[in-house]
């Protein structure tokens, strides 16, 4: 996959919830190469390694990309200190994105917490043919709720404590829908590993195609350092290790060994 490295200005910065930031970044080069599900590697001050962040929007008409990230440690903490019109050193787009079906296909988008941003471009592409199920710890952690509504998708919001939307896990809602006879053409999921594992199980049980976006700690981000291994099934029944940065981050759910 072609990628570029360059210095790009932040056009807008927004604080979506405590410790979650949304940057709109001007980059015609990256926007013109990117696919939903791909990520960028961003250089942050004082850190030898870039930090991987998924693309939360790709706008070719207006030449920008968007990232939404949560402060987890020092690297994302430094990133959050950048302001509008500061420049970011970005490498991307990287990795393998989601398989895009014709937009009239029925899909489910399942997102957990800070795993929801990469689903935004899919929600825009599939519009009313997508059912979006997102889950968060509580009402204060909810992000991108209005964003999903604007695409006229069916959007079901869940919180663990019931402080907003339905009380429970996204996978409970997905199970109820599939058990009730709904048969989407594809399930896409991004979020914490236990959530992805359950989505993969449900996809297998109900025989539905499913793609999941995996996260591993990364160094180079381009397949050169063997730093982001993920155990996978081979076609001959053996197991192997794939690079999340190069072979993923999006995998068919049948490929991944949890
Ligand atoms: C392909 C990919 C896409 C990503 N997209 C996003 C995104 O859109 N938004 C977002 O907020 N975050 C995203 N992440 C996670 C983000 O890269 C990490 O939170 C960040 O690198 C942590 O850096 P730090 O220096 O702030 O924290 P560190 O001090 O490095 O780590 C803080 C904590 O986060 C954990 N952590 C660090 N890196 C990862 C990782 N790659 N996966 C899981 N846990 C990690 C550490 O184990 C530790 O507990 C993505 C990661 C990958 C691999
Ligand atoms: S991060 Fe170096 S191989 Fe994936």
């Amino acid at each position: 996959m072609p990628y570029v490295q360059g210095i790009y200005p932040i056009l807008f910065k927004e604080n979506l919830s405590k410790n979650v930031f949304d940057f709109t970044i001007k980059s015609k080069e990256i926007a013109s190469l990117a696919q939903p599900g791909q990520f960028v590697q961003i250089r942050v001050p004082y850190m030898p390694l870039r930090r991987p962040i998924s693309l939360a929007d790709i706008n070719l008409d207006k030449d920008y990309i968007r990232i939404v990230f949560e402060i987890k440690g020092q690297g994302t903490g430094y990133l959050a200190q950048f302001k509008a019109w500061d420049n970011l050193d970005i490498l991307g787009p990287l990795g393998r994105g989601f398989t895009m079906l014709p937009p009239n296909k029925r899909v489910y988008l399942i997102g957990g917490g800070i795993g929801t941003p990469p689903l935004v471009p899919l929600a825009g592409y599939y519009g009313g043919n997508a059912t979006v199920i997102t889950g968060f710890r509580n009402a204060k952690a909810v992000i991108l709720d209005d964003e999903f509504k604007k695409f006229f998708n069916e959007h079901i919001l869940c919180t663990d404590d019931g402080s907003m939307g339905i009380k429970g896990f996204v996978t409970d809602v997905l199970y109820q829908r599939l058990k009730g006879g709904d048969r989407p053409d594809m399930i896409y999921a991004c979020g914490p590993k236990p959530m992805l594992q359950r989505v993969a199980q449900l996809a297998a049980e109900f025989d539905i195609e499913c793609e999941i976006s995996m996260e591993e700690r990364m160094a180079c981000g381009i397949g050169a350092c063997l730093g982001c291994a993920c155990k996978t099934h081979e076609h001959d029944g053996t197991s192997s290790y794939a690079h999340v940065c190069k072979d993923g981050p999006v995998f068919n759910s049948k490929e991944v060994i949890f």
Side-chain angles (χ1 to χ4, degrees):
M1 292 282 186
Y3 58 84
V4 292
Q5 185 259 317
I7 307 293
Y8 303 104
I10 299 168
L11 298 177
F12 305 106
K13 173 185 179 180
E14 210 184 324
N15 193 186
L16 296 188
S17 74
K18 187 168 179 273
N19 290 337
V20 177
F21 293 86
D22 182 341
F23 288 0
T24 300
I25 301 161
K26 180 129 184 112
S27 174
K28 186 176 183 161
E29 286 101 328
I30 298 178
S32 63
L33 295 171
Q35 291 291 321
Q38 288 190 293
F39 66 100
V40 291
Q41 284 266 68
I42 304 180
R43 184 176 292 290
V44 288
Y46 316 112
M47 298 278 139
L49 297 175
R50 290 170 182 268
R51 293 301 191 258
I53 304 289
S54 301
L55 292 169
D57 199 358
I58 303 159
N59 191 311
L60 246 186
D61 298 335
K62 296 183 182 155
D63 303 339
Y64 68 75
I65 56 169
R66 242 176 93 202
I67 56 166
V68 174
F69 66 94
E70 183 174 22
I71 298 179
K72 281 281 174 63
Q74 279 197 321
T76 42
Y78 288 130
L79 186 58
Q81 291 173 20
F82 280 80
K83 304 180 296 300
W85 298 109
D86 283 345
N87 285 316
L88 285 176
D89 178 340
I90 304 180
L91 178 73
L94 299 171
R96 195 177 74 163
F98 293 110
T99 305
M100 304 302 284
L101 304 178
N104 61 346
K105 294 289 180 187
R106 277 271 304 131
V107 302
Y108 268 69
L109 312 180
I110 314 296
I114 196 63
T116 49
L119 303 179
V120 172
L122 295 176
Y125 176 79
Y126 288 106
N129 295 313
T131 293
V132 184
I133 312 175
T134 56
F136 301 88
R137 281 186 311 280
N138 52 44
K140 283 189 180 153
V142 172
I143 54 167
L144 303 172
D145 194 33
D146 293 341
E147 186 99 16
F148 287 115
K149 281 184 188 139
K150 93 179 173 209
F151 299 122
F152 305 107
N153 315 116
E154 180 190 17
H155 180 206
I156 303 164
L157 176 70
C158 308
T159 51
D160 298 353
D161 65 358
S163 52
M164 196 169 167
I166 293 175
K167 184 174 193 292
F169 294 140
V170 289
T171 45
D172 299 336
V173 177
L174 178 64
Y175 173 67
Q176 290 304 332
R177 287 298 187 96
L178 299 180
K179 202 173 126 210
D182 208 353
R183 289 288 173 275
D185 297 294
M186 176 78 94
I187 300 171
Y188 300 99
C190 187
K193 225 178 209 172
M195 184 203 96
L196 295 180
Q197 184 169 11
R198 179 69 181 137
V199 171
Q201 274 172 0
L202 289 173
E205 189 180 327
F206 289 94
D207 194 22
I208 293 164
E209 277 301 298
C210 175
E211 291 191 339
I212 55 179
S213 182
M214 300 295 292
E215 271 195 21
E216 287 297 337
R217 291 197 72 116
M218 286 187 183
C220 70
I222 53 170
C225 74
L226 312 177
C228 60
C230 165
K231 201 169 184 190
T232 52
H233 291 291
E234 289 295 291
H235 293 299
D236 62 4
T238 61
S239 66
S240 174
Y241 283 91
H243 293 125
V244 171
C245 68
K246 192 163 143 255
D247 307 312
V250 176
F251 292 89
N252 187 295
S253 59
K254 292 187 197 114
E255 287 176 79
V256 175
I257 301 175
F258 285 94

